[in-house]
C-alpha cells in the first residue's frame, strides 16, 4: 500500500472495496465503480485509506462539480474512533454523512441458533453476508 501513488490500486484498492462494499452516498446501493480521493490529489490529498471514498461512477463525477464539497470527518483508523465517515455538502448547503458499513461480523445482530439438519435450507438471510453463509455450509459439510 504505497502512499506515494496517485491511483488507488493493488491492496489499497482491495481494502477500500472491502470497507465500503457499495457506493457510500446515502440511498445509493450501486456497486463501487470508482475509488477516489476525498481531498483531491491536486490539492495535496494523500492516496490513503483515510482519504479514499468508494462510489458509483455518477456520484464520483458529481462530487467534482462546482459547489460540491467532501470532507473526511472520521478516518476510521483510530481504535474506538468509529467507522470511516465523509461529509458531502451539496451546492444548496445540504450535508450528507457517508458512513462506512460495519465490518462483517462486527456491529451485526447475532446469528440465529442453527436449525436442525433437515431444516437447514432457509430463505435469504439479511443478518449474514453471502460469504458467511458459504463458510457455514463448508463447516457443516466437514
Amino acid at each position: 500500500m504505497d502512499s506515494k501513488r496517485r491511483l488507488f490500486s493493488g491492496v489499497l484498492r482491495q481494502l477500500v472495496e472491502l470497507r465500503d462494499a457499495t457506493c457510500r452516498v446515502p440511498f445509493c446501493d450501486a456497486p463501487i465503480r470508482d475509488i477516489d480521493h476525498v481531498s483531491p490529489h491536486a490539492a495535496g490529498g494523500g492516496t490513503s485509506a483515510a482519504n479514499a471514498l468508494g462510489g458509483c461512477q455518477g456520484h464520483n463525477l458529481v462530487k467534482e462539480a462546482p459547489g460540491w464539497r467532501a470532507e473526511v470527518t472520521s478516518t476510521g483508523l483510530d481504535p474506538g474512533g468509529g467507522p470511516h465517515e465523509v461529509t458531502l455538502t451539496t451546492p444548496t448547503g445540504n450535508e450528507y454523512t457517508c458512513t462506512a458499513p460495519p465490518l462483517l461480523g462486527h456491529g451485526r445482530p447475532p446469528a440465529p441458533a442453527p436449525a436442525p439438519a433437515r431444516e437447514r435450507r432457509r430463505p435469504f438471510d439479511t443478518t449474514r453476508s453471502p460469504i458467511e453463509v458459504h463458510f457455514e455450509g463448508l463447516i457443516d459439510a466437514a
Side-chain angles (χ1 to χ4, degrees):
M1 296 191 315
D2 184 7
S3 63
K4 301 285 183 198
R5 292 183 176 190
R6 185 187 185 301
L7 300 176
F8 291 95
S9 61
V11 176
L12 181 57
R13 182 177 185 86
Q14 290 175 353
L15 174 76
V16 175
E17 286 174 343
L18 288 171
R19 180 192 71 193
D20 293 352
T22 60
C23 179
R24 291 271 299 278
V25 176
F27 313 113
C28 182
D29 291 329
I32 291 176
R33 167 98 181 194
D34 298 321
I35 297 177
D36 197 15
H37 298 83
V38 177
S39 297
H41 187 267
T47 304
S48 66
N51 192 37
L53 181 69
C56 65
Q57 190 171 29
H59 285 124
N60 182 44
L61 293 173
V62 80
K63 80 176 186 60
E64 300 297 328
W68 286 80
R69 281 192 329 243
E71 177 185 1
V72 175
T73 52
S74 174
T75 63
L77 301 176
D78 302 325
H84 185 263
E85 230 176 50
V86 174
T87 300
L88 284 177
T89 307
T90 67
T92 60
N94 292 332
E95 289 187 350
Y96 296 95
T97 303
C98 308
T99 306
L103 297 174
L104 295 178
H106 297 282
R108 292 174 164 236
R118 67 181 189 283
E119 297 177 17
R120 288 281 162 107
R121 294 195 176 240
R122 54 184 170 228
F124 184 71
D125 185 359
T126 59
T127 61
R128 297 172 301 157
S129 71
I131 194 77
E132 291 171 313
V133 172
H134 175 70
F135 284 141
E136 284 180 6
L138 292 175
I139 291 170
D140 290 343

